[in-house]
Amino acid sequence: MSRWSVRVFIVFACSWGTLTPLQAQSYEGLLKFVPDDANTVALLRVHDFINSPLGVKEDWKKKHETEHLNGGVAIPPWVNVLLRTSYLRPGQGGGDWTSVLTVLPEGIDFESIAKKSGNEIQEINSHPVFFSQKRNGYFVQFQGENQERILGGIVPASRQDASRWISESVEDETTKLDEYLTQAIDDPSSQIILAISMKDMLDPVHIRYRLSGSKALENNTQARTALTLDFQSLQGVRLAVRVTESTQAEIRLDFDRTIGPESEHIKSLLVEFLNDAGSALDELENAGVETRGKSVILTMPLSGESLRRILSLVTSVSPPSASGPQTKTPEPPKPEIEPKSQGASGIDVKASLKYYRAVNHNVDDMEKAYKRINNYRQTAQWHDNFAKRIDELPIESVDPELLDYGQKMSSYLRGLGASLRGMGLKVDALNHSITYNVEQKPIYRNGYDWWYGGAWTAYGPYNYGRPMKTEVDTNLQQVRTKQAEVVANTQPDRDKIWQIINEERSTTRRAMVAKYGVDFQE
């Protein structure tokens, strides 16, 4: 992985100070604060990640500090271990709620975090809290074992939601994470673990619908029948990322029945499902496949680009930043040029430069996919996720012209995502405007649709067939073909959008250089 390969919200690093490896690795003390209906989990073992052979070789710790200063990394440098959970309801990508938990180290206090993020300290059930309008949720300080200070956040959440969460966490001392998720994160060999508990999640009718419309199973009734039973027994899916001298990923599907020869189709199905959802991963097509009793395991090397994409699917509630303990002051990012002016009242030139670079980092990832061409048409979800990352960047004291620039870049990425889903666009390259044609679809609603059903058209979901029939009628192949035709025909529109993006970047850079005398180029 080159160029500090994990720049997304889960690109975590830390100024370790006097923390021991044992302290850095501990997550068990966070489990009692997990809301009791969580069905997804992400555990981020920061210390092992940074101190992996590849991390040491590429000096990820220092690079993270620089990226965080630039605004390109959402997780603050003082975070050691991050536990993220959420409740995912099929049909509502992103889940009903998401929580994040981490230990506050010495030198970081709750009041500083609230102040730096411009929020007011309040109190709920004798716990200090603050409401984050930007994240639409509450952050709270819990008291853990051995006087540990735990920072927790939950979004979206009302004050009443936060109150219930605090009360349940204080009153119930037991670990609330279900057995499957608890076992999934109990893997010290992996630095990043994502898991979803799927027992009784998938509807049998939707399973039959998806498999009946699968190209991978076309004319293979025997495999389709077996896989229908397999997916009805699906207990969960987990992704483990291990970094040694290179980065390896393992995707594991755990069933409640012994898997037979039909397992050879699992990889093809996953590739197909992810492509349909606009979430393509290049490495998956060449992944190794192994069956172990009731589990099917796929292994593959992972590029930095693919890792950023995977992690953007589970965009977390990042802890707000605060200055923390450091062994030394990080070197400022290049170019090391002092601005001629500190800008107009209320504008911070350095904050503006950080924001500009962070926006461009997100755009650059998608431009690489565009230039590579290979499976670019299956990257709609990534465009949406990276647009969201731009929306969530810190904006305090940033030049209004750059905020407008960031908003435009986010809008352009979403427009590209819509186009890649088959939505018609009208692109005015001269005036840099995009108009959506809402009568042209079909599209997938979100990155989770591949698990449970089909695309959503302008007039509702396309045909599921009759639920009571054993054999499900499906028009999935026809819709997929039509969507591919629309996407292919709108390639000139996407070319125009990328032309607009590059023109906006050039124009904005020239304007900022003229305004502040600072080189805004990367």
Side-chain angles (χ1 to χ4, degrees), residues 6 62 318 425 438:
V6 202
K62 181 178 178 181
S318 302
L425 302 176
V438 296

Side-chain angles (χ1 to χ4, degrees), residues 52-126:
S52 65
L54 187 60
V56 172
K57 178 181 178 181
E58 298 189 358
D59 199 4
W60 288 354
K61 177 181 175 180
K62 181 178 178 181
K63 291 176 181 177
H64 165 77
E65 292 170 344
T66 301
E67 289 291 333
H68 185 69
L69 286 175
N70 282 339
V73 176
I75 295 297
W78 48 263
V79 172
N80 299 332
V81 173
L82 191 68
L83 181 69
R84 172 197 178 276
T85 61
S86 62
Y87 178 72
L88 172 65
R89 188 188 302 274
Q92 298 180 12
D96 280 9
W97 55 261
T98 297
S99 75
V100 63
L101 293 157
T102 189
V103 176
L104 289 173
E106 291 296 328
I108 295 293
D109 60 82
F110 191 74
E111 291 75 15
S112 297
I113 295 174
K115 182 178 180 180
K116 185 172 179 62
S117 55
N119 297 299
E120 177 185 341
I121 293 285
Q122 307 169 17
E123 188 174 285
I124 298 179
N125 296 338
S126 301

Side-chain angles (χ1 to χ4, degrees), residues 173 192 467:
E173 294 293 326
I192 304 170

